[in-house]
Amino acid sequence: MNIIGLILIAIIAIEFGIYYSDFNLVNDRTLEIGMITLIATLIFIYIYFNKWSYRILIGLPTLIFGIIFLGLETIGIMAGSEKISWNWKIGEYEIIYANMEYYAGPGGKTYLKLREKYFFDQFYKTLDKQKTENTFLELGIGKKNCDLKFEKTGMEFDLCEKKQLK
């Protein structure tokens, strides 16, 4: 039973490390992962501790913290999410054409975001972001608007040939 407890603690520590780092899940499954972790933790507490006093003393704060965490995640999801209309995968980088989508509808101008992918394309780190006036149909089609330069990183890409220039 001690090995299972150590594995669960390691998984929770890794999840918190990823959550508070610059990395994000590609599929944005933080709510589902949080719920699974909370349920697994409560089951572990119930199985591992034999006395009801220990179960309540450890399980109740875990449940309260988990509900608060999941509630804040739910509010964050309702507040706004990124709607990706198009993407270009170039090596270990991904360029996305997106805008923010809010509870009441779309908001803000469209933008291009440069992300670097990690760990079998399951995590990404945002490197640069800039607004654009072009539609995603105008970018990288034919020989029109092929070259794209991100100002912050100075990286350049050819969207028509799907290759990195600089």
Side-chain angles (χ1 to χ4, degrees), residues 133-141 144-146:
E133 297 295 325
N134 297 325
T135 66
F136 68 90
L137 294 174
E138 296 172 339
L139 293 169
I141 296 195
K144 184 179 177 187
N145 297 321
C146 289

Side-chain angles (χ1 to χ4, degrees), residues 45 48-61:
I45 289 170
Y48 190 73
F49 295 102
N50 295 328
K51 291 185 178 181
W52 277 97
S53 59
Y54 291 149
R55 289 178 181 171
I56 293 172
L57 186 65
I58 297 172
L60 192 59

Side-chain angles (χ1 to χ4, degrees), residues 60-133:
L60 192 59
T62 303
L63 181 64
I64 292 169
F65 175 74
I67 289 172
I68 291 171
F69 175 76
L70 293 174
L72 292 174
E73 279 296 316
T74 303
I75 291 170
I77 289 170
M78 288 177 62
S81 62
E82 187 174 66
K83 181 181 178 214
I84 299 173
S85 300
W86 196 261
N87 65 356
W88 295 269
K89 293 180 181 177
I90 302 171
E92 68 268 6
Y93 298 104
E94 181 179 31
I95 300 168
I96 62 167
Y97 180 91
N99 69 321
M100 288 303 291
E101 190 85 9
Y102 297 104
Y103 181 71
K109 294 194 176 215
T110 55
Y111 54 86
L112 293 164
K113 188 185 279 189
L114 175 63
R115 307 189 310 188
E116 190 171 7
K117 300 177 286 183
Y118 296 96
F119 193 67
F120 305 107
D121 298 343
Q122 292 303 305
F123 295 97
Y124 67 86
K125 183 176 183 179
T126 300
L127 301 175
D128 203 348
K129 179 179 169 181
Q130 66 186 25
K131 292 184 179 178
T132 182
E133 297 295 325

Side-chain angles (χ1 to χ4, degrees), residues 2-18 37 41 44:
N2 289 336
I3 293 174
I4 295 172
L6 291 174
I7 291 171
L8 183 63
I9 290 170
I11 289 171
I12 293 171
I14 290 169
E15 286 180 3
F16 277 118
I18 292 170
T37 303
T41 305
F44 170 76

